[in-house]
């Protein structure tokens, strides 16, 4: 030990001596200033690196200050000097023989448009970027989402709509795949889009709307893909932001992102807490018809039932992410990250039920449902990238593991308030305990090989392996003994596995004004499910009314070709102001676990949701034709699209033939494979900046679905024509105040059984810059008119039901955001972190 200590001391003394000598040789001062070539604004945190001309390795370096200036002492010598800034072209000064103090003067850097993949936000002007397979929207400046959630932000993206229950659709189609930073993620809740209503909107950098995905992306999602790119600062040094929110109904939120970047590594983190009350209400008015049983007309127990429900939803959510990107060399980096989310939900629902005969109330009940839910998700991710040169030749590898658990306990009680029964039998108290464990792993390798200047070849592999186990136990009260027993006919364990292995290749090139990307993806899907229940297969078939497989193992092998083209009408790709895009792709829609599980929900005694183990994947072929025209102050985008889907999923409602203990027919909703679904549509978008103080944004989407098919000898063919439109205006007022208004309208729609009225909502927001533009205070009102309600009428041969649902009431938020060590405007430009690097940057 003594010899070891002596050796260490000797080494330290030697290193210190050499360091002191080296520093003493640095007696020459080099200074200068770095600015943006176009705006002439100083670039803070630009990197100035000095390379030894002999050894071609970095000797010293410095970053610029808030004024873009730098000052560094170096030793005499001949240097190559690189001046770099994220998303700008590198300035190089070669063979600089430095023998005395030197002033390099003002160095201007130009934007590198080829490497810049993020949407540009310059002086509050919003632009849309069109690539071969996607449109990219920056929503970081959306005032109406301040203090809101990811779902709120998505609802303001053209082509996207979020309904009152949080379901996300793209061009009116709900089968959309949600990715986080280009990959499936625990942040998206294992496919449960409701989780997106718990993550803060401030975490989003931009949203990529991918309507014609290239072969690099997974084939899941017949509507397309929404790729949510999260904020990740690339600025050198220490920087970050703090967000505070308070609102009514109760909405308290705190979130922060803290980042530290050097030439060798980049540390990034996000932390957030949110407490909110999201009350909802619903109303159902059902009229039951006489039924024909054995050629005899039978009247229902109650001619009409009216239900009025109010739900108080208290939620606490915590989320945290921490990661580090380590630069092994100038061309190779390794990034590791961990994400964790914990949530607590405490819901209380009161459902008043009025039952009528001959126009008079004969019975009233009050159903109380208390639900406690605790859940957590965590994710570990590792990314490796090596760039063999500066021309795009690279290899990336990703490993990702996610695990989630959720425990839900529900207490259900119903009491008579009014009844005409002389001695009514009391309702059973029910206790439902659900424990669900989910895990998912991802392995992905992508290789990109440029061939010449304008051609690129890609190939890769992705393996996604998911498993969920749901343990469902129903306890019911024994009326005679007031004790509880387990209902074995409904309690079950459902084990569901989805494994997808895929390989792909794609080839792209551009020549003159024409670019194309051709790809082919081969995917093998394995869907396995096992239902553990005390019921036999025959008993399950009798109970559910159709044959089901309680232990299935299905395999599907599919080829998914993709083709995307751009023709630039106004000249070269780099200077394009007008272009036409054409896209074709084949997609798959795989049933999720809750679509498969055949055991009915218990949220209502009379209206239940039931899964269908017989569901098979749906396949779709989609065509897209788009047009872009960009003027100085106006950007216009239009497209028409067509999709033909086979084995498409459709919800049907039918009478189970069973009744509750008090004689009410039980109606179930079940997903089934119908034969075909044809979707046709057109969309239009316009961004207009007539003045520096005014920004206008509008979009319109028209679509028609035509469904053909039948289930249980009932024809469910239907034609659904609908549309939605949004308008947004942003006005910059004096005293650094911004005013934004968003309006959204979804037109009426219909299917084989239901007609739904149109929905209108209006959002309003104001913001002001304070503290020398380092902070922003915002006030916004979402759904100002409290009009975001879904009203529908469902008609079958057994009943007619009118429904009103309001998932969330008007929300008022006051938000405060403080930024430290950040530049507000152009200095916010950064590389595309977490994107896929696909589509060859062929921009329109």
């Amino acid at each position: 030990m003594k010899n070891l200590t002596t050796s260490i001391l000797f080494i330290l003394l030697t290193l210190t001596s050499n360091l002191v000598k080296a520093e003493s040789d640095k007696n020459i001062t080099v200074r200068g200033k770095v600015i943006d070539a176009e705006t002439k604004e100083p670039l803070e945190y630009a990197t100035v690196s000095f390379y030894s001309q002999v050894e071609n390795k970095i000797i010293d370096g410095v970053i610029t200050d808030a004024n873009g200036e730098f000052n560094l002492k170096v030793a005499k010598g001949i240097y190559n000097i690189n001046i770099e800034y994220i998303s700008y072209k590198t300035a190089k000064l070669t063979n600089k023989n430095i023998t005395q103090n030197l002033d390099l003067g003002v160095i201007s850097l130009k934007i590198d448009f080829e490497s810049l993949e993020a949407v540009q936000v310059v002086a509050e002007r919003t632009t849309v970027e069109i690539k071969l397979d996607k449109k990219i929207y920056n929503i970081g400046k959306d005032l109406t989402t301040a203090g809101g959630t990811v779902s709120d932000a998505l609802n303001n993206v053209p082509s996207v709509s979020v309904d009152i229950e949080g379901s996300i659709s793209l061009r009116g189609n709900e089968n959309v795949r949600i990715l986080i930073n280009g990959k499936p993620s625990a942040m998206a809740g294992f496919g449960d889009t409701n989780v997106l209503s718990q993550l803060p909107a401030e975490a989003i950098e931009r949203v990529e709307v991918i309507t014609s995905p290239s072969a690099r992306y997974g084939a899941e999602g017949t509507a397309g893909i929404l790729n949510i790119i999260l904020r990740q600062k690339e600025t050198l040094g220490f920087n970050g932001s703090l967000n505070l929110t308070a609102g009514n109904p109760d909405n308290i939120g705190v979130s922060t992102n803290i980042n530290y970047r050097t030439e060798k590594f980049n540390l990034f983190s996000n932390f957030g807490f949110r407490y909110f009350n999201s009350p909802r209400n619903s109303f159902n008015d059902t009229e039951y018809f006489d039924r024909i049983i054995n050629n005899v007309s039978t009247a229902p127990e109650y001619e009409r039932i009216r239900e009025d429900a109010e739900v108080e939803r208290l939620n606490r959510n915590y989320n945290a992410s921490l990661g580090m990107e380590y630069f092994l060399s100038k061309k190779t980096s390794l990034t590791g990250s961990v994400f964790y989310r914990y949530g607590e939900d405490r819901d209380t629902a009161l459902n008043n039920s009025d039952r009528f005969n001959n126009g008079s109330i004969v019975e009233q009940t009050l159903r109380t449902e208390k639900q406690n839910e605790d859940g957590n998700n965590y994710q570990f991710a590792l990314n490796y990238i090596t760039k063999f040169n500066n021309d795009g030749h690279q290899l990336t590898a990703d490993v990702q593991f996610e695990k989630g658990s959720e425990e839900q306990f529900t207490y259900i009680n119903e009491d008579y308030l009014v009844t005409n029964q002389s001695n009514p039998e009391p309702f059973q108290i029910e206790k439902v305990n659900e424990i669900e464990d989910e895990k998912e792993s991802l392995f992905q390798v992508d290789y990109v090989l440029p061939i010449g200047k304008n051609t690129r070849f890609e190939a890769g592999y992705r393996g996604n392996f998911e498993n969920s186990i749901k343990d469902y136990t129903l306890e019911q009260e024994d009326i005679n003994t007031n004790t509880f027993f387990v209902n074995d006919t409904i309690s079950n364990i459902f084990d569901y596995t989805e494994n997808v292995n895929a390989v792909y290749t794609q080839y792209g090139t551009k020549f003159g004004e024409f670019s194309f990307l051709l790809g082919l993806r081969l995917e093998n899907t394995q869907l396995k499910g096992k239902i553990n229940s005390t019921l036999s297969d025959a008993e399950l078939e009798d109970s559910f009314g159709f044959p089901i497989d309680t232990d299935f193992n299905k395999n599907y092998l599919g080829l998914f070709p993709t083709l995307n083209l751009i023709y630039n009408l106004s000249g070269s790709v780099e200077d394009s102001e007008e272009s036409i895009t054409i896209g074709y792709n084949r997609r798959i829609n795989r049933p999720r676990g809750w679509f498969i599980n055949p055991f009915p929900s218990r949220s209502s005694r009379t209206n239940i949701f039931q899964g269908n183990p017989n569901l098979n994947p749906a396949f779709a072929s989609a065509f897209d034709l788009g047009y872009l025209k960009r003027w100085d102050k106006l950007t216009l985008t239009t497209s028409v699209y067509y999709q033909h889907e086979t084995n498409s999923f459709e919800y049907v409602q039918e009478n189970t033939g069973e009744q509750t203990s008090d004689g009410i027919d039980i109606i179930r909703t079940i997903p089934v494979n119908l034969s075909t679904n044809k979707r046709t549509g057109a969309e239009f978008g316009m961004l207009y900046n007539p003045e520096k103080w005014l920004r206008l944004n509008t979009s319109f989407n028209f679509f028609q679905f035509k469904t053909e098919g039948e289930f249980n000898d009932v024809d469910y063919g239907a034609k659904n024509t609908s549309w939605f439109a949004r308008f947004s205006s942003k006005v910059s007022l004096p005293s650094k105040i911004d005013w934004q208004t968003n309006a959204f309208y979804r037109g009426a729609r219909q299917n084989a059984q239901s007609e739904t009225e149109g929905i209108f909502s209006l959002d309003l927001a104001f913001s002001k810059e304070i503290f020398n533009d380092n902070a922003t205070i915002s006030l916004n009102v979402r759904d100002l008119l409290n009009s975001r309600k879904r009203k529908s009428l469902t008609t079958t041969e057994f009943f007619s039901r009118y429904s009103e649902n309001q998932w969330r009431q008007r929300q008022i938020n006051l938000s405060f955001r403080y930024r430290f060590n950040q530049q507000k405007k152009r200095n916010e430009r950064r590389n595309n972190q977490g994107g896929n690097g696909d589509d060859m940057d062929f921009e329109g």
Side-chain angles (χ1 to χ4, degrees), residues 17-32:
S17 176
N18 291 336
L19 182 61
V20 170
K21 182 179 184 302
E23 289 298 319
S24 65
D25 291 338
K26 296 180 179 180
N27 53 11
I28 296 177
T29 300
V30 180
R31 63 170 51 90

Side-chain angles (χ1 to χ4, degrees), residues 710-723:
E710 63 177 38
F711 178 71
N712 283 350
D713 299 324
V714 178
D715 185 1
Y716 289 98
K719 182 182 290 186
N720 170 24
T721 301
S722 188
W723 59 278

Side-chain angles (χ1 to χ4, degrees), residues 95-106:
N95 299 324
K96 280 289 184 181
N97 187 5
I98 301 178
T99 58
Q100 59 184 358
N101 293 343
L102 177 63
D103 188 346
L104 296 175
V106 176

